[in-house]
Amino acid sequence: MNRYFLISALFLASLMSFSQDGSDLFSMLEEPAETPSLLPDRMLVTQRLLWGEKGILRTSGIAPLTLEQRQKELKLRRTMLTAHQVLGYTTLAAMIAQGIIGGKLYTGQNDLYELHKDMATVVNIGYFTTAGLSLFTPPPLINKKVKGFTSIKAHKTLATIHFSAMVVTNIYKDKNKEVHKGAAYTAFGSYALAVLVFKF
């Protein structure tokens, strides 16, 4: 009899110790394992706008936030970033051609004006498509902050410069030749450096 009383007392004491700790034995047994986050803490504003938890593609139901969907998004991300790189090289080549044509225009070869305008269209389409492929790509699973200056940080810093310069180049193309020329050279120089630092 004493043995049963002792076992019952120990069981009740263990239950009381759980309740004193603010824990419930049964809820602890039933608590589901923590699911890993499907999105990184850090995202670009453009990525958050489309792919964030409350982004357009999530709330519209086009891309629900599930593990299976995120696997598809990571494949899409790889494809988009590969296209970004290839189109980036193509745009750089078009920029070089545009710079040569533009330089000849400034020396008085006005017969190249229409070609210069057509080449500007090619450069703009290539450039802004390349930028879009990077800005609107689905986010990675993890986006950790890396200490120190890396090639990726240099690439992003230069991207801010050449993006701003490209906008200024287009705004001043018919308003101010000197500003247009300066912005175009800034865009080309920072863009070429961005391609090089990312490659090496």
Side-chain angles (χ1 to χ4, degrees), residues 77-167:
R77 175 182 169 80
R78 191 178 301 115
T79 302
M80 286 178 76
L81 290 177
T82 301
H84 168 79
Q85 193 173 16
V86 172
L87 197 53
Y89 291 127
T90 307
T91 303
L92 181 60
M95 279 182 168
I96 292 168
Q98 176 69 329
I100 293 166
I101 296 164
K104 288 183 177 181
L105 267 178
Y106 280 102
T107 60
Q109 295 187 32
N110 295 325
D111 57 318
L112 295 173
Y113 181 72
E114 287 303 317
L115 180 60
H116 182 71
K117 276 180 68 176
D118 293 342
M119 203 64 195
T121 303
V122 171
V123 169
N124 276 314
I125 291 170
Y127 179 84
F128 288 106
T129 303
T130 303
L133 285 167
S134 174
L135 292 171
F136 295 103
T137 184
L141 279 178
I142 300 169
N143 195 358
K144 289 184 179 178
K145 202 167 188 176
V146 181
K147 291 181 180 179
F149 198 68
T150 63
S151 61
I152 293 173
K153 283 184 182 178
H155 184 76
K156 288 180 179 178
T157 302
L158 289 163
T160 305
I161 297 167
H162 63 67
F163 188 87
S164 304
M166 279 295 289
V167 171

Coordinates of all heavy atoms in Angstrom, one line a residue, residues 77-167:
R77 N 15.0 31.5 -60.0 CA 16.0 32.4 -59.6 C 17.3 32.2 -60.4 O 18.0 33.0 -60.9 CB 16.2 32.4 -58.1 CG 17.4 33.2 -57.6 CD 17.6 33.1 -56.1 NE 18.8 33.7 -55.6 CZ 19.0 35.0 -55.4 NH1 18.0 35.8 -55.6 NH2 20.1 35.4 -55.0
R78 N 17.7 30.9 -60.4 CA 19.0 30.5 -61.1 C 18.9 30.9 -62.5 O 19.9 31.4 -63.1 CB 19.2 29.0 -60.9 CG 20.6 28.5 -61.3 CD 20.8 27.1 -61.1 NE 20.7 26.7 -59.7 CZ 19.7 25.9 -59.2 NH1 18.8 25.3 -60.1 NH2 19.7 25.6 -58.0
T79 N 17.8 30.6 -63.2 CA 17.6 30.9 -64.6 C 17.7 32.4 -64.9 O 18.3 32.9 -65.8 CB 16.2 30.3 -65.1 OG1 16.2 28.9 -64.9 CG2 16.1 30.6 -66.6
M80 N 17.0 33.2 -64.0 CA 17.0 34.6 -64.2 C 18.4 35.2 -64.0 O 18.8 36.2 -64.7 CB 16.0 35.2 -63.2 CG 14.5 35.0 -63.6 SD 13.3 35.7 -62.4 CE 13.5 37.5 -62.7
L81 N 19.1 34.7 -63.0 CA 20.4 35.3 -62.7 C 21.4 34.9 -63.8 O 22.3 35.7 -64.1 CB 20.9 34.9 -61.3 CG 20.2 35.5 -60.1 CD1 20.7 35.0 -58.8 CD2 20.2 37.0 -60.2
T82 N 21.3 33.7 -64.4 CA 22.1 33.3 -65.5 C 21.8 34.2 -66.7 O 22.7 34.7 -67.4 CB 21.9 31.9 -65.9 OG1 22.1 31.0 -64.8 CG2 22.7 31.4 -67.1
A83 N 20.5 34.5 -67.0 CA 20.1 35.4 -68.1 C 20.6 36.8 -67.8 O 21.1 37.5 -68.7 CB 18.6 35.4 -68.2
H84 N 20.6 37.2 -66.5 CA 21.1 38.5 -66.1 C 22.6 38.7 -66.5 O 23.0 39.7 -67.0 CB 20.9 38.7 -64.6 CG 21.7 39.8 -64.0 ND1 21.2 41.1 -64.1 CD2 22.8 39.9 -63.3 CE1 22.1 41.9 -63.4 NE2 23.0 41.2 -62.9
Q85 N 23.3 37.6 -66.2 CA 24.8 37.6 -66.5 C 25.0 37.7 -68.1 O 25.8 38.5 -68.5 CB 25.4 36.4 -65.9 CG 26.9 36.5 -65.9 CD 27.5 35.3 -65.1 OE1 26.9 34.3 -64.8 NE2 28.8 35.4 -64.8
V86 N 24.4 36.8 -68.8 CA 24.6 36.7 -70.3 C 24.1 38.0 -70.9 O 24.9 38.6 -71.7 CB 23.8 35.5 -70.9 CG1 23.8 35.6 -72.4 CG2 24.3 34.2 -70.3
L87 N 23.0 38.5 -70.6 CA 22.5 39.8 -71.1 C 23.3 41.0 -70.7 O 23.5 41.9 -71.4 CB 21.0 40.0 -70.7 CG 20.2 41.0 -71.5 CD1 20.3 40.8 -73.0 CD2 18.8 41.0 -71.1
G88 N 23.9 40.8 -69.5 CA 24.9 41.9 -69.0 C 26.1 42.0 -69.9 O 26.5 43.2 -70.3
Y89 N 26.6 40.9 -70.4 CA 27.8 41.0 -71.3 C 27.4 41.5 -72.7 O 28.1 42.3 -73.3 CB 28.4 39.6 -71.5 CG 29.1 39.0 -70.3 CD1 28.8 37.8 -69.8 CD2 30.1 39.8 -69.7 CE1 29.4 37.3 -68.6 CE2 30.7 39.3 -68.5 CZ 30.4 38.0 -68.0 OH 31.0 37.6 -66.9
T90 N 26.2 41.1 -73.1 CA 25.7 41.6 -74.4 C 25.5 43.1 -74.4 O 25.8 43.8 -75.3 CB 24.3 40.9 -74.8 OG1 24.5 39.5 -74.7 CG2 23.9 41.3 -76.1
T91 N 24.9 43.6 -73.3 CA 24.6 45.0 -73.1 C 25.9 45.8 -73.0 O 26.0 46.9 -73.6 CB 23.8 45.3 -71.8 OG1 22.6 44.5 -72.0 CG2 23.4 46.7 -71.7
L92 N 26.9 45.2 -72.4 CA 28.3 45.9 -72.3 C 28.8 46.1 -73.7 O 29.4 47.1 -74.1 CB 29.2 45.1 -71.4 CG 30.6 45.7 -71.3 CD1 30.6 47.0 -70.6 CD2 31.5 44.7 -70.5
A93 N 28.7 45.0 -74.6 CA 29.2 45.1 -75.9 C 28.4 46.2 -76.7 O 29.0 47.0 -77.5 CB 29.0 43.8 -76.6
A94 N 27.1 46.3 -76.5 CA 26.3 47.3 -77.2 C 26.7 48.7 -76.7 O 26.7 49.7 -77.4 CB 24.8 47.1 -76.9
M95 N 27.0 48.8 -75.4 CA 27.5 50.1 -74.8 C 28.8 50.6 -75.5 O 29.0 51.8 -75.7 CB 27.7 50.0 -73.3 CG 26.4 50.1 -72.5 SD 26.8 50.0 -70.7 CE 25.2 50.6 -70.0
I96 N 29.7 49.6 -75.7 CA 31.0 50.0 -76.3 C 30.7 50.5 -77.7 O 31.3 51.6 -78.1 CB 31.9 48.8 -76.3 CG1 32.4 48.4 -74.9 CG2 33.1 49.0 -77.2 CD1 33.0 47.1 -74.8
A97 N 29.9 49.8 -78.5 CA 29.5 50.3 -79.8 C 28.9 51.6 -79.8 O 29.2 52.5 -80.6 CB 28.6 49.2 -80.5
Q98 N 28.0 51.8 -78.8 CA 27.3 53.1 -78.7 C 28.3 54.2 -78.4 O 28.1 55.4 -78.9 CB 26.2 53.0 -77.6 CG 25.5 54.3 -77.3 CD 24.6 54.7 -78.4 OE1 24.8 54.5 -79.6 NE2 23.5 55.4 -78.0
G99 N 29.2 53.9 -77.5 CA 30.3 54.9 -77.2 C 31.1 55.3 -78.4 O 31.4 56.5 -78.5
I100 N 31.4 54.4 -79.2 CA 32.2 54.7 -80.4 C 31.4 55.6 -81.4 O 31.9 56.6 -81.9 CB 32.7 53.4 -81.1 CG1 33.7 52.6 -80.3 CG2 33.3 53.7 -82.5 CD1 33.9 51.2 -80.7
I101 N 30.1 55.2 -81.6 CA 29.3 56.0 -82.4 C 29.1 57.4 -81.9 O 29.1 58.4 -82.6 CB 27.9 55.3 -82.6 CG1 28.1 54.0 -83.4 CG2 26.9 56.2 -83.4 CD1 26.9 53.0 -83.3
G102 N 28.8 57.5 -80.5 CA 28.6 58.8 -79.9 C 29.8 59.6 -80.0 O 29.7 60.9 -80.2
G103 N 31.0 59.0 -79.8 CA 32.2 59.8 -80.0 C 32.4 60.4 -81.3 O 32.9 61.6 -81.5
K104 N 32.0 59.7 -82.4 CA 32.1 60.2 -83.7 C 31.1 61.3 -84.0 O 31.4 62.2 -84.8 CB 31.9 59.0 -84.7 CG 33.1 58.1 -84.8 CD 32.9 57.0 -85.8 CE 34.1 56.1 -85.9 NZ 34.0 55.0 -86.9
L105 N 29.9 61.2 -83.3 CA 29.0 62.3 -83.4 C 29.5 63.6 -82.9 O 29.3 64.7 -83.5 CB 27.7 61.9 -82.6 CG 26.6 61.3 -83.4 CD1 25.4 60.9 -82.4 CD2 26.1 62.1 -84.5
Y106 N 30.3 63.5 -81.8 CA 30.8 64.7 -81.2 C 32.0 65.3 -82.0 O 32.3 66.5 -81.8 CB 31.3 64.4 -79.8 CG 30.2 64.4 -78.8 CD1 29.6 63.2 -78.3 CD2 29.6 65.6 -78.3 CE1 28.6 63.2 -77.4 CE2 28.6 65.6 -77.4 CZ 28.1 64.4 -76.9 OH 27.0 64.4 -76.0
T107 N 32.5 64.5 -83.0 CA 33.5 65.1 -83.9 C 33.0 65.6 -85.2 O 33.7 65.9 -86.1 CB 34.6 64.0 -84.1 OG1 34.0 62.9 -84.8 CG2 35.3 63.6 -82.9
G108 N 31.6 65.6 -85.3 CA 31.0 66.2 -86.4 C 30.4 65.3 -87.4 O 29.9 65.7 -88.5
Q109 N 30.4 63.9 -87.2 CA 29.9 63.0 -88.2 C 28.4 62.8 -87.9 O 27.9 61.8 -87.4 CB 30.6 61.6 -88.0 CG 32.0 61.7 -88.5 CD 32.7 60.3 -88.5 OE1 32.0 59.3 -88.8 NE2 34.0 60.2 -88.2
N110 N 27.6 63.9 -88.3 CA 26.2 63.9 -88.0 C 25.3 62.9 -88.7 O 24.2 62.7 -88.4 CB 25.6 65.3 -88.3 CG 26.3 66.4 -87.4 OD1 26.5 66.1 -86.2 ND2 26.5 67.6 -87.9
D111 N 25.9 62.3 -89.8 CA 25.2 61.2 -90.5 C 24.9 60.0 -89.6 O 24.1 59.1 -90.0 CB 25.9 60.9 -91.8 CG 27.3 60.4 -91.5 OD1 28.0 61.0 -90.7 OD2 27.8 59.4 -92.1
L112 N 25.6 59.9 -88.5 CA 25.5 58.7 -87.6 C 24.4 59.0 -86.5 O 24.2 58.1 -85.7 CB 26.8 58.4 -86.9 CG 28.0 58.0 -87.8 CD1 29.3 57.9 -87.0 CD2 27.6 56.7 -88.4
Y113 N 23.7 60.1 -86.6 CA 22.7 60.4 -85.5 C 21.6 59.4 -85.4 O 21.3 58.9 -84.3 CB 22.1 61.8 -85.8 CG 21.1 62.2 -84.7 CD1 21.5 62.6 -83.5 CD2 19.7 62.2 -85.0 CE1 20.6 62.9 -82.5 CE2 18.8 62.6 -84.0 CZ 19.3 62.9 -82.8 OH 18.4 63.3 -81.8
E114 N 21.0 58.9 -86.5 CA 19.9 57.9 -86.5 C 20.4 56.6 -85.9 O 19.8 55.9 -85.2 CB 19.3 57.8 -87.9 CG 18.5 58.9 -88.3 CD 17.3 59.2 -87.3 OE1 16.7 58.3 -86.9 OE2 17.1 60.4 -87.0
L115 N 21.7 56.2 -86.4 CA 22.3 55.0 -85.9 C 22.5 55.1 -84.4 O 22.3 54.1 -83.6 CB 23.6 54.7 -86.6 CG 24.4 53.4 -86.2 CD1 23.5 52.2 -86.4 CD2 25.7 53.3 -86.9
H116 N 22.9 56.3 -83.9 CA 23.2 56.5 -82.5 C 21.8 56.3 -81.7 O 21.8 55.7 -80.6 CB 23.7 57.9 -82.3 CG 24.0 58.3 -80.9 ND1 25.1 57.7 -80.2 CD2 23.4 59.1 -80.0 CE1 25.1 58.2 -78.9 NE2 24.1 59.1 -78.8
K117 N 20.8 56.9 -82.2 CA 19.4 56.8 -81.6 C 19.0 55.3 -81.5 O 18.5 54.8 -80.5 CB 18.4 57.6 -82.4 CG 18.4 59.1 -82.0 CD 17.4 59.8 -82.8 CE 16.0 59.4 -82.4 NZ 14.9 60.3 -83.1
D118 N 19.2 54.6 -82.7 CA 18.8 53.2 -82.7 C 19.6 52.3 -81.7 O 19.0 51.4 -81.0 CB 18.9 52.6 -84.1 CG 17.9 53.2 -85.1 OD1 16.9 53.8 -84.7 OD2 18.2 53.1 -86.3
M119 N 20.9 52.6 -81.7 CA 21.8 51.9 -80.7 C 21.4 52.2 -79.3 O 21.5 51.3 -78.4 CB 23.2 52.3 -81.0 CG 24.2 51.2 -80.6 SD 24.0 49.7 -81.5 CE 24.9 48.6 -80.5
A120 N 21.0 53.4 -79.0 CA 20.5 53.8 -77.7 C 19.3 53.0 -77.3 O 19.2 52.6 -76.1 CB 20.2 55.3 -77.6
T121 N 18.4 52.7 -78.2 CA 17.2 51.9 -77.9 C 17.7 50.5 -77.5 O 17.2 49.9 -76.6 CB 16.3 51.9 -79.1 OG1 15.9 53.2 -79.5 CG2 15.0 51.1 -78.8
V122 N 18.6 49.9 -78.3 CA 19.1 48.6 -78.0 C 19.8 48.5 -76.6 O 19.5 47.6 -75.9 CB 20.2 48.2 -79.1 CG1 20.9 46.9 -78.7 CG2 19.5 48.0 -80.5
V123 N 20.6 49.6 -76.3 CA 21.3 49.6 -75.0 C 20.3 49.7 -73.9 O 20.4 49.0 -72.9 CB 22.3 50.8 -75.0 CG1 22.8 51.0 -73.5 CG2 23.5 50.5 -75.9
N124 N 19.3 50.6 -74.1 CA 18.3 50.8 -73.0 C 17.5 49.5 -72.8 O 17.2 49.1 -71.6 CB 17.3 51.9 -73.4 CG 17.9 53.3 -73.0 OD1 18.4 53.4 -71.9 ND2 17.8 54.2 -73.9
I125 N 17.0 48.8 -73.8 CA 16.3 47.6 -73.7 C 17.2 46.5 -73.0 O 16.7 45.9 -72.0 CB 15.8 47.1 -75.0 CG1 14.7 48.0 -75.6 CG2 15.3 45.6 -74.9 CD1 14.3 47.7 -77.0
G126 N 18.4 46.4 -73.4 CA 19.3 45.4 -72.8 C 19.6 45.8 -71.4 O 19.5 44.9 -70.5
Y127 N 19.9 47.0 -71.1 CA 20.2 47.5 -69.8 C 19.1 47.3 -68.8 O 19.3 46.6 -67.7 CB 20.7 48.9 -69.7 CG 21.1 49.4 -68.3 CD1 22.3 49.1 -67.8 CD2 20.1 50.0 -67.5 CE1 22.6 49.5 -66.5 CE2 20.4 50.4 -66.2 CZ 21.7 50.1 -65.7 OH 22.0 50.5 -64.4
F128 N 17.9 47.8 -69.1 CA 16.8 47.7 -68.1 C 16.2 46.3 -68.0 O 15.7 46.0 -66.9 CB 15.8 48.8 -68.4 CG 16.3 50.2 -68.1 CD1 16.6 51.1 -69.1 CD2 16.4 50.6 -66.8 CE1 17.1 52.3 -68.9 CE2 16.9 51.9 -66.5 CZ 17.2 52.8 -67.5
T129 N 16.4 45.5 -69.0 CA 16.0 44.1 -68.9 C 16.9 43.4 -68.0 O 16.5 42.6 -67.1 CB 15.9 43.4 -70.3 OG1 15.1 44.1 -71.1 CG2 15.5 42.0 -70.2
T130 N 18.2 43.6 -68.1 CA 19.2 43.0 -67.3 C 19.0 43.5 -65.8 O 19.1 42.6 -64.9 CB 20.7 43.5 -67.7 OG1 20.8 43.1 -69.1 CG2 21.7 42.9 -66.9
A131 N 18.7 44.7 -65.6 CA 18.4 45.2 -64.2 C 17.2 44.6 -63.6 O 17.2 44.1 -62.5 CB 18.3 46.7 -64.3
G132 N 16.2 44.4 -64.5 CA 14.9 43.8 -64.0 C 15.1 42.4 -63.6 O 14.5 41.9 -62.6
L133 N 15.9 41.6 -64.4 CA 16.2 40.2 -64.0 C 16.8 40.1 -62.7 O 16.6 39.1 -62.0 CB 17.1 39.6 -65.1 CG 16.4 39.3 -66.4 CD1 17.5 39.0 -67.5 CD2 15.4 38.1 -66.3
S134 N 17.6 41.1 -62.3 CA 18.3 41.0 -60.9 C 17.3 41.5 -59.9 O 17.2 40.9 -58.8 CB 19.5 41.9 -61.0 OG 20.1 42.0 -59.7
L135 N 16.6 42.6 -60.1 CA 15.8 43.3 -59.1 C 14.5 42.4 -58.7 O 14.1 42.5 -57.6 CB 15.4 44.7 -59.5 CG 16.5 45.7 -59.6 CD1 15.9 47.0 -60.3 CD2 17.0 46.0 -58.3
F136 N 14.0 41.7 -59.7 CA 12.7 41.0 -59.5 C 12.9 39.5 -59.4 O 11.9 38.8 -59.4 CB 11.7 41.4 -60.6 CG 11.3 42.9 -60.6 CD1 11.9 43.7 -61.5 CD2 10.5 43.4 -59.6 CE1 11.5 45.1 -61.4 CE2 10.1 44.7 -59.5 CZ 10.7 45.6 -60.5
T137 N 14.1 39.0 -59.3 CA 14.3 37.6 -59.1 C 13.8 37.1 -57.8 O 13.8 37.9 -56.8 CB 15.8 37.3 -59.3 OG1 16.0 35.8 -59.2 CG2 16.6 37.9 -58.1
P138 N 13.3 35.9 -57.7 CA 12.8 35.4 -56.3 C 14.0 35.4 -55.4 O 15.2 35.2 -55.8 CB 12.4 34.0 -56.6 CG 12.1 33.9 -58.1 CD 13.0 34.9 -58.7
P139 N 13.8 35.7 -54.1 CA 14.8 35.7 -53.1 C 15.4 34.4 -52.8 O 14.8 33.3 -53.0 CB 14.2 36.3 -51.9 CG 12.7 35.9 -52.0 CD 12.4 35.9 -53.5
P140 N 16.7 34.3 -52.3 CA 17.3 33.0 -51.9 C 16.6 32.5 -50.6 O 15.8 33.3 -50.0 CB 18.7 33.4 -51.7 CG 18.7 34.8 -51.3 CD 17.6 35.4 -52.0
L141 N 17.0 31.3 -50.2 CA 16.4 30.8 -48.9 C 17.1 31.6 -47.7 O 16.4 31.9 -46.8 CB 16.7 29.3 -48.8 CG 15.7 28.4 -49.5 CD1 16.2 27.0 -49.3 CD2 14.3 28.6 -49.0
I142 N 18.4 31.8 -47.8 CA 19.1 32.6 -46.8 C 19.8 33.7 -47.4 O 20.4 33.6 -48.5 CB 20.1 31.6 -46.1 CG1 19.4 30.4 -45.5 CG2 20.9 32.4 -45.0 CD1 20.3 29.3 -45.0
N143 N 19.8 34.9 -46.8 CA 20.5 36.0 -47.3 C 21.3 36.7 -46.1 O 20.8 37.6 -45.5 CB 19.5 37.0 -47.9 CG 20.2 38.1 -48.7 OD1 21.4 38.1 -48.8 ND2 19.4 39.0 -49.3
K144 N 22.4 36.0 -45.7 CA 23.2 36.5 -44.6 C 24.0 37.7 -44.9 O 24.4 37.9 -46.0 CB 24.1 35.4 -44.1 CG 23.4 34.2 -43.5 CD 24.4 33.2 -42.9 CE 23.7 32.1 -42.3 NZ 24.7 31.0 -41.8
K145 N 24.2 38.6 -43.9 CA 25.0 39.8 -44.1 C 26.5 39.3 -43.9 O 26.9 38.8 -42.9 CB 24.6 40.8 -43.0 CG 25.0 42.2 -43.4 CD 24.3 43.2 -42.4 CE 24.6 44.6 -42.9 NZ 23.8 45.6 -42.1
V146 N 27.2 39.6 -45.0 CA 28.7 39.2 -44.9 C 29.5 40.4 -44.5 O 29.3 41.5 -45.0 CB 29.1 38.7 -46.3 CG1 30.6 38.3 -46.3 CG2 28.2 37.5 -46.8
K147 N 30.4 40.2 -43.6 CA 31.3 41.3 -43.1 C 32.4 41.5 -44.2 O 32.8 40.7 -44.9 CB 31.9 40.9 -41.8 CG 30.9 40.9 -40.7 CD 31.6 40.6 -39.3 CE 30.6 40.5 -38.2 NZ 31.3 40.2 -36.9
G148 N 32.8 42.8 -44.2 CA 33.9 43.2 -45.1 C 33.4 43.5 -46.5 O 32.2 43.4 -46.8
F149 N 34.3 44.0 -47.3 CA 34.0 44.4 -48.7 C 34.2 43.2 -49.6 O 35.3 42.7 -49.8 CB 34.8 45.6 -49.1 CG 34.2 46.3 -50.3 CD1 33.0 47.0 -50.2 CD2 34.9 46.3 -51.5 CE1 32.5 47.7 -51.2 CE2 34.3 47.0 -52.6 CZ 33.2 47.7 -52.4
T150 N 33.1 42.7 -50.3 CA 33.2 41.6 -51.2 C 32.9 42.0 -52.6 O 32.5 43.2 -52.9 CB 32.2 40.5 -50.8 OG1 30.9 41.1 -51.0 CG2 32.4 40.1 -49.4
S151 N 33.2 41.1 -53.6 CA 32.9 41.5 -55.0 C 31.4 41.7 -55.2 O 31.0 42.5 -56.0 CB 33.4 40.3 -55.9 OG 32.7 39.1 -55.6
I152 N 30.5 41.0 -54.4 CA 29.1 41.2 -54.6 C 28.7 42.6 -54.1 O 27.9 43.3 -54.7 CB 28.3 40.1 -53.8 CG1 28.5 38.7 -54.5 CG2 26.8 40.4 -53.7 CD1 28.0 37.5 -53.8
K153 N 29.3 43.0 -53.0 CA 29.0 44.4 -52.4 C 29.5 45.4 -53.4 O 28.8 46.4 -53.6 CB 29.6 44.6 -51.1 CG 28.9 43.9 -49.9 CD 29.6 44.2 -48.6 CE 28.8 43.4 -47.5 NZ 29.5 43.7 -46.2
A154 N 30.6 45.2 -54.0 CA 31.2 46.1 -55.0 C 30.2 46.2 -56.2 O 29.9 47.3 -56.7 CB 32.6 45.7 -55.4
H155 N 29.8 45.0 -56.7 CA 28.8 44.9 -57.8 C 27.6 45.7 -57.5 O 27.1 46.5 -58.4 CB 28.5 43.5 -58.0 CG 27.7 43.2 -59.2 ND1 28.1 43.2 -60.5 CD2 26.3 42.9 -59.4 CE1 27.2 43.0 -61.4 NE2 26.1 42.8 -60.7
K156 N 27.0 45.6 -56.3 CA 25.8 46.3 -55.9 C 26.0 47.8 -55.8 O 25.1 48.6 -56.2 CB 25.2 45.7 -54.6 CG 24.6 44.3 -54.8 CD 24.1 43.8 -53.5 CE 23.5 42.4 -53.6 NZ 23.0 41.9 -52.4
T157 N 27.1 48.2 -55.3 CA 27.4 49.6 -55.1 C 27.6 50.3 -56.5 O 27.0 51.3 -56.8 CB 28.8 49.9 -54.3 OG1 28.6 49.2 -53.1 CG2 29.1 51.3 -54.2
L158 N 28.3 49.6 -57.4 CA 28.5 50.1 -58.8 C 27.1 50.1 -59.5 O 26.9 51.0 -60.4 CB 29.5 49.3 -59.5 CG 30.9 49.5 -59.1 CD1 31.8 48.3 -59.6 CD2 31.5 50.8 -59.6
A159 N 26.3 49.1 -59.2 CA 24.9 49.1 -59.8 C 24.1 50.3 -59.5 O 23.4 50.8 -60.4 CB 24.2 47.8 -59.4
T160 N 24.2 50.8 -58.3 CA 23.5 52.0 -57.9 C 24.0 53.2 -58.7 O 23.2 54.0 -59.2 CB 23.8 52.3 -56.4 OG1 23.4 51.2 -55.6 CG2 23.0 53.5 -55.9
I161 N 25.3 53.2 -58.9 CA 25.9 54.3 -59.7 C 25.5 54.3 -61.2 O 25.0 55.2 -61.7 CB 27.5 54.3 -59.6 CG1 27.9 54.6 -58.2 CG2 28.1 55.4 -60.5 CD1 29.4 54.3 -57.9
H162 N 25.6 53.1 -61.8 CA 25.3 53.0 -63.2 C 23.8 53.1 -63.5 O 23.4 53.6 -64.5 CB 26.0 51.9 -64.0 CG 25.6 50.5 -63.5 ND1 24.4 49.9 -63.7 CD2 26.4 49.5 -63.0 CE1 24.4 48.7 -63.3 NE2 25.6 48.4 -62.8
F163 N 23.0 52.7 -62.6 CA 21.5 52.8 -62.8 C 21.2 54.3 -62.8 O 20.4 54.7 -63.6 CB 20.8 52.1 -61.7 CG 19.3 52.0 -61.9 CD1 18.7 51.0 -62.6 CD2 18.5 53.0 -61.4 CE1 17.4 50.9 -62.9 CE2 17.1 52.9 -61.6 CZ 16.5 51.9 -62.3
S164 N 21.7 55.0 -61.8 CA 21.4 56.5 -61.7 C 21.9 57.2 -62.9 O 21.2 58.1 -63.5 CB 22.1 57.1 -60.5 OG 21.7 56.4 -59.3
A165 N 23.1 56.8 -63.4 CA 23.7 57.5 -64.6 C 22.9 57.1 -65.8 O 22.8 58.0 -66.7 CB 25.2 57.0 -64.7
M166 N 22.4 55.9 -65.9 CA 21.6 55.6 -67.1 C 20.3 56.4 -67.1 O 19.8 56.9 -68.2 CB 21.2 54.1 -67.1 CG 22.3 53.2 -67.6 SD 22.7 53.4 -69.4 CE 21.2 52.8 -70.1
V167 N 19.7 56.6 -66.0 CA 18.5 57.4 -65.9 C 18.8 58.9 -66.4 O 18.1 59.5 -67.2 CB 17.8 57.4 -64.5 CG1 16.7 58.4 -64.4 CG2 17.4 56.0 -64.2

